[in-house]
Amino acid sequence: MDYDYTITYAQKSLDSTMPWIGMYIAAASAVCTLAMAADAFIGFRSNKYWLPCKYFSLNAFSLTLLAVAMKLPIDLTNVDVTYRDKYARIGSVVLMSTAMSNFMTSLGSMENNEIVVNMAALGILVITIAANVIIHLAQMQSSVTRVLLPEVVMSVVIMFSFLSTLCCVSLMAPGAKRYIGLKYDEMHESVSNRQVEWGRFSVDEVENMVKAYWVMAQTSRSQFVLARSAISCISGLLCLFIALLLVEARFANRLLFHWYIQNIKGRSESDYGWSVGWILNTQSIGVAMGTIAPLLRWFVASWLKISETERRSFRDELEVEKYWTWRLVEWRDRSLPFQLPNRLCKKLFRDARRSFLNFCIRGQILFVSAAKLVLFLSARLGSAVFLRFCKTKGSVLAGGHKSKEGEHADFRQYVLLLEGEPQLPYKILHNICNEADKLIQIGEKRQPENLIQLFKKSSNFCGVGRFDSSHVPSLHSQEPPNCWSLPVVTLTAISLALTYDKAIQLLKCVSEGFPIVKLIEETLDRTRELENMRNVADVVWDEVENNKKWDGEDLKSMRVRGTACKETLQNLSNRAGKTVTDFLAQANDILMQNPLNWPRRVIAAISMYRISQTILLGIGDGEHQDDDELFESISITISDILAACLTNLVQVIRLKCHRNDIREREDSVRRAVILLGESKEILKILQLRVLPSLDVEKAAKIDEWRASMALDHIV
């Protein structure tokens, strides 16, 4: 008796916590809903009506959330007595199906191994849900269970249909990416042959090049390729059907269910209690939010088909291209991944694998043909609707932008399409080009105004040749090479030490130019040869910009009032020279072999020593005797070095535009477009200047500039 009481008490204690578990389920469902809503909002905001997956994609996090949200259909201990229990169980399955429909385009952003792992995890979750729902139906043989039996069975069948759709897309995605990749390489080669050369460019040419790469990146985006495929029609149709099924389950059977429930005696409340309502409402909103993306992708795919000018026969419409089955054919024709000692077993295994894959290929072809049929019928129906409300189909497809069509017509040749795909409507191309224009405008708002004013102080690049004189004796037979950023930082530190108040404005100018110089150096130094030099410049610049110090010494207090600038320069030179000589006295032979491996403090000291000694030589020769003249000379030298470095901007923009990795391509091109906007005024200034005779590779190195200018007697 005491034992039964203990068990009953323990059961009641456990049951009392179930509503809070229900709230946990509702919270997981709410996170999924918010992620799908966020993707929809971002898609509408950016005019990408095919709604790319950013926050709600197929990964470990989303699958974990869905596993929590699916506890109701997985739970075999809960008896569905009330209407809300039964409907919430169906709603969970429908939410799972809707989530899978939203996952479709995210498969394009994955590597092949990621697709296999994520699809396997998703398949296990779907099979688990379906098995538990079927077991629950088999064990619950009451009349209450039979009320919503068709809806439950149909929801499970459609959930498996969505899984089949994702399997079809996962098999198609590698082939589609391979095909688009080949088209991209071909187009890139064509654009590269007409690339903008160093020193011979106009801003309009650079802008057209950037927009061409932007169109290539956007139209080759894997998620967009999947969204406009025929499979998106099947996904949208199934998503619409299962959403209507949920509505029917909620309203059509409610009165009938209450009539049955009145005849049931005993327990009339779920284990999850009051939390069932939260689960039901949250998941219903999730289904509503999740239906938006599949329907819009269905609409986009149909719209593209409607806009196709070339009419094809019905047989050609249902033709299945090679990229749909490329992955399966590759698996079928490759050799066995392992060796079998028995010849007969090897033959049997090979034949069995081949037969199975041939069956999968036929299934894939049948599924794709059905999707193409849905797309064809959707396009025909949509075309009839458009023609009913518009005089001509062209007025609809042009989207009201006929007058502007010539503006972006030249970029149609850069649109990358799969085999058999219709051309993109002008409105989509117009939106893509408009997005590039907006990014350029964002960059224009960030233009470095102070840096531009500094550029106007000089009209040539003579400062590149005179900041480091060959007449200054070297402290060692081997010294590290120059980079663009370190001389600029050193000259800025010297100007702060000499004329602090005036140099603050110069510091602002250099602050705007230094990130661009750093980007140029990192992009063009492909061998990473000068990486340590750049790191030295970063460390010194951080100290100069933020603390107004060099090598721990306050630059403002370096010049004592009443002393000449020559004494301050000599102090800087002596301090730097001592740092170098102390290091050389203690360094071992291995470290001395490569100056690039010397300590950062020593490399910075060498730069300070040589530049300060060069300025002292100029003062000795009667140049810039007063402070104002000296400060102006240093400012012009910095301007010349920055200007020479920034002549490589076009090359950097071009390199940023091209990325072989499709996952990095869009972000890289986006950065290039914004960089073009930021540097438009700079490029206009630089294109008017006479440049030395250098090729692209040599123009990226300051020492090559100095050598060229010495030969031309410009120094």
Side-chain angles (χ1 to χ4, degrees), residues 644-704:
C645 178
L646 267 59
T647 58
N648 295 288
L649 260 176
V650 175
Q651 177 71 358
V652 170
I653 291 172
R654 190 183 69 83
L655 292 174
K656 286 290 182 183
C657 283
H658 173 59
R659 279 289 183 275
N660 286 322
D661 191 340
I662 197 169
R663 294 182 298 180
E664 299 177 359
R665 188 176 298 160
E666 183 183 3
D667 290 337
S668 185
V669 178
R670 184 184 300 275
R671 177 69 186 113
V673 177
I674 295 175
L675 180 60
L676 171 62
E678 293 174 345
S679 56
K680 250 189 173 183
E681 192 63 31
I682 294 173
L683 294 176
K684 289 178 181 178
I685 295 173
L686 294 177
Q687 71 182 10
L688 300 176
R689 296 191 181 183
V690 179
L691 301 178
S693 301
L694 294 170
D695 58 30
V696 175
E697 296 296 328
K698 290 183 178 180
K701 300 178 180 178
I702 189 172
D703 285 337
E704 295 290 346

Side-chain angles (χ1 to χ4, degrees), residues 94 190 494 525 584 641 700 702:
V94 173
S190 174
I494 291 173
D525 185 19
L584 295 176
I641 296 173
I702 189 172

Side-chain angles (χ1 to χ4, degrees), residues 114-143:
E114 291 180 280
I115 293 176
V116 173
V117 172
N118 287 323
M119 284 300 300
L122 179 63
I124 293 171
L125 179 59
V126 170
I127 292 172
T128 302
I129 294 170
N132 285 29
V133 170
I134 292 171
I135 292 172
H136 190 272
L137 285 175
Q139 296 301 320
M140 298 290 293
Q141 296 296 331
S142 66
S143 58

Side-chain angles (χ1 to χ4, degrees), residues 199 201-203 447-461 639-640 642-644 646-647 649-650 678-691:
F201 64 88
S202 69
V203 176
Q447 287 193 96
E449 300 295 339
N450 294 315
L451 180 63
I452 293 171
Q453 292 301 318
L454 180 63
F455 272 10
K456 294 178 180 179
K457 286 191 174 185
S458 67
S459 58
N460 52 50
F461 306 100
S639 174
D640 290 345
L642 290 174
L646 267 59
T647 58
L649 260 176
V650 175
E678 293 174 345
S679 56
K680 250 189 173 183
E681 192 63 31
I682 294 173
L683 294 176
K684 289 178 181 178
I685 295 173
L686 294 177
Q687 71 182 10
L688 300 176
R689 296 191 181 183
V690 179
L691 301 178

Side-chain angles (χ1 to χ4, degrees), residues 545-558:
E545 183 183 29
N546 297 322
N547 303 322
K548 310 300 185 292
K549 292 182 178 181
W550 184 86
D551 196 23
E553 187 74 21
D554 187 8
L555 291 169
K556 186 176 182 179
S557 62
M558 272 192 172

